[in-house]
Amino acid sequence: MSSIPTTPLNLATNSYEAISGIASKEKLVNCYIQPTPTQSTNTNSSIILGTAGLTTWKNLSIDEPVYGLHTMGNLLYAVVGTNVYKIDSDKNSILLGTITDLPNRVQMTDNGNHVGILTKAGNLFLANSSSLVQVSDVDYELSDSLTSLNTYFILSSRESFKFFTSDVGDATSYPAAREFANNDSKKITAVKASNSELWAFKETSIVTYNNDANTVFPFIKNLGVELGVGCVSKHTISFHKNSFYFLGSDKIIYSTSGYSLTPISTLPISEKIQNFTNVSNAFAFCYTQDGSDFYCITFPDEDQNITYEYNITTGRWHDRISRKNTKETRWLANCHEFFNNINLVGDKDTGIIYQIDSKSYKEGQEPIVREVISSTLSSNYSKIAVARLVLFMETGVGLI
């Protein structure tokens, strides 16, 4: 009796769902690929792992999203709605004050003395362990972005093509002389610190600056350094292990290596992003979990409502989807911070701060639903009859 021929089924290794399903329907949802060791006797070259769950770390009991998290010293600062809290490692929280602007996503940084909180309206608030105040210096200008470098706060002006800095170590003072004007008409999308350099992400290019210790204006442009792609969304810029990751002005996702740019979004993901009408609200962050580095980018508008996650370690993509009230939605994580040696994320709808937890198979109280779609199969362009399907998998965890 002849044996039934067997054919290895190549499950998904990437989220690579092409416009044409004939080309590829490959997709990973809430799971990702990890290569097996090269010395392993296992014939499989990789395994599929589930993404980590979310367990409640602190519930601030507010029916508002967590818009920002930032660590300074041994305290975590959280912006929930318009409320600003400080939280210690024992999870004790104290309300520091309220931001007077309408609630929305914020940018946060610190100079060792103050945590800066830049609102969508362009106002800058300063928090420390005892207070929350708004910057009232007459020379402060409404700003689009915020970063810090060498104890300076650096901001890009909303109304002009320039950026400006605080006094050294003093986030309350903004002398008029500490301004740098662009010599072109390319508006600055965001300024970001990279080790000892300042990067200005413009609409269609990127330029860099060094600190030359000038007492009037401390930064000087690096001549001959200009990258030919700009940034379309300031909230997608994330610096991780000496590289920037961001959504480019051409709606392609890039990483940097030195002064070089590398596209990292697959063609299908780039095609989907190209079809999004508005990407200015997109946001992203990087984190390290279980030995892998991730860049997580979310498109929150109702017609998009999707999160893509790039495994920097393997160069593969997967989707992140959460469930709320039985409905699928973008990943719950609205912001991220590494605090007290754990990864924390803020809930997109409520004042809950979660811990990214590899031992949890839920997000809050909701189960994580995972999906694996293989690459397209055919046999001389004919239908395939599958008499039996054999899967090798670990059981006994989650709901399996």
Side-chain angles (χ1 to χ4, degrees):
M1 181 177 178
S2 60
S3 61
I4 299 175
T6 60
T7 301
L9 175 64
N10 294 320
L11 293 176
T13 60
N14 211 10
S15 276
Y16 204 93
E17 187 178 14
I19 293 177
S20 170
I22 297 176
S24 175
K25 290 288 289 183
E26 195 171 347
K27 192 174 183 180
L28 289 169
V29 179
N30 294 333
C31 45
Y32 63 97
I33 284 292
Q34 177 176 289
T36 55
T38 55
Q39 69 272 20
S40 172
T41 58
N42 191 337
T43 57
N44 298 311
S45 60
S46 58
I47 57 176
I48 298 176
L49 300 177
T51 52
L54 300 176
T55 56
T56 299
W57 183 80
K58 177 68 176 180
N59 189 348
L60 291 164
S61 302
I62 299 177
D63 196 23
E64 292 280 355
V66 182
Y67 286 120
L69 298 170
H70 187 80
T71 301
M72 185 176 72
N74 58 358
L75 294 175
L76 176 71
Y77 293 79
V79 178
V80 185
T82 58
N83 298 296
V84 179
Y85 295 87
K86 69 172 184 179
I87 308 172
D88 63 24
S89 57
D90 292 325
K91 307 179 187 178
N92 300 308
S93 62
I94 295 178
L95 177 65
L96 292 172
T98 301
I99 293 172
T100 53
D101 293 344
L102 293 173
N104 213 307
R105 186 167 302 281
V106 297
Q107 298 172 67
M108 302 176 74
T109 191
D110 76 88
N111 63 358
N113 299 315
H114 286 99
V115 172
I117 304 169
L118 183 67
T119 67
K120 184 177 181 180
N123 293 307
L124 180 61
F125 292 79
L126 303 176
N128 58 24
S129 61
S130 60
S131 66
L132 175 72
V133 297
Q134 182 175 350
V135 170
S136 57
D137 190 296
V138 293
D139 290 315
Y140 176 81
E141 301 182 26
L142 294 178
S143 301
D144 274 337
S145 67
L146 166 71
T147 192
S148 58
L149 184 61
N150 304 132
T151 73
Y152 291 100
F153 272 18
I154 308 160
L155 304 101
S156 59
S157 173
R158 169 165 297 181
E159 304 300 332
S160 60
F161 299 89
K162 66 182 180 183
F163 61 88
F164 61 97
T165 81
S166 69
D167 266 329
V168 61
D170 185 359
T172 66
S173 176
Y174 295 83
R178 292 190 180 276
E179 297 181 349
F180 183 90
N182 277 314
N183 295 322
D184 55 41
S185 58
K186 299 173 184 176
K187 194 174 188 303
I188 296 175
T189 302
V191 286
K192 292 293 179 180
S194 162
N195 297 323
S196 61
E197 285 187 324
L198 177 68
W199 286 48
F201 291 78
K202 300 184 181 182
E203 292 175 324
T204 57
S205 65
I206 303 169
V207 294
T208 66
Y209 301 82
N210 275 320
N211 186 345
D212 71 343
N214 188 300
T215 57
V216 178
F217 189 81
F219 295 98
I220 184 170
K221 185 176 179 180
N222 290 328
L223 298 178
V225 177
E226 183 166 357
L227 285 67
V229 174
C231 178
V232 71
S233 175
K234 59 191 174 187
H235 293 296
T236 65
I237 305 170
S238 183
F239 186 69
H240 186 71
K241 295 185 178 180
N242 296 318
S243 292
F244 279 109
Y245 299 84
F246 66 97
L247 180 61
S249 50
D250 53 4
K251 294 186 179 180
I252 293 173
I253 302 171
Y254 290 90
S255 69
T256 66
S257 177
Y259 298 130
S260 298
L261 289 174
T262 301
I264 60 172
S265 48
T266 62
L267 284 174
I269 289 177
S270 295
E271 287 171 348
K272 290 181 180 180
I273 298 173
Q274 294 291 333
N275 292 324
F276 292 161
T277 303
N278 176 37
V279 295
S280 62
N281 293 332
F283 64 91
F285 55 82
C286 290
Y287 67 100
T288 300
Q289 185 77 19
D290 300 326
S292 291
D293 298 313
F294 298 98
Y295 173 73
C296 179
I297 183 167
T298 294
F299 298 88
D301 285 5
E302 288 187 6
D303 63 331
Q304 304 159 11
N305 198 29
I306 185 69
T307 300
Y308 299 119
E309 193 163 77
Y310 178 65
N311 189 327
I312 299 170
T313 307
T314 63
R316 305 285 188 171
W317 287 88
H318 54 275
D319 297 6
R320 295 298 293 258
I321 292 176
S322 295
R323 294 173 67 87
K324 275 208 168 183
N325 301 322
T326 71
K327 293 184 179 180
E328 290 187 349
T329 181
R330 64 179 176 89
W331 194 27
L332 293 183
N334 207 42
C335 54
H336 167 268
E337 180 66 1
F338 188 71
F339 174 70
N340 203 28
N341 293 316
I342 55 176
N343 286 298
L344 299 178
V345 294
D347 191 285
K348 71 182 185 67
D349 297 312
T350 69
I352 298 176
I353 300 173
Y354 296 106
Q355 175 181 346
I356 300 178
D357 186 355
S358 302
K359 296 180 180 179
S360 173
Y361 303 94
K362 292 184 177 182
E363 293 184 342
Q365 299 302 313
E366 295 284 348
I368 301 174
V369 178
R370 311 186 194 278
E371 182 178 6
V372 180
I373 300 177
S374 73
S375 55
T376 304
L377 303 175
S378 65
S379 177
N380 294 324
Y381 306 102
S382 300
K383 293 181 179 179
I384 297 175
V386 179
R388 183 172 61 178
L389 177 65
V390 180
L391 295 175
F392 294 92
M393 60 192 301
E394 290 188 6
T395 60
V397 295
L399 300 179
I400 297 175

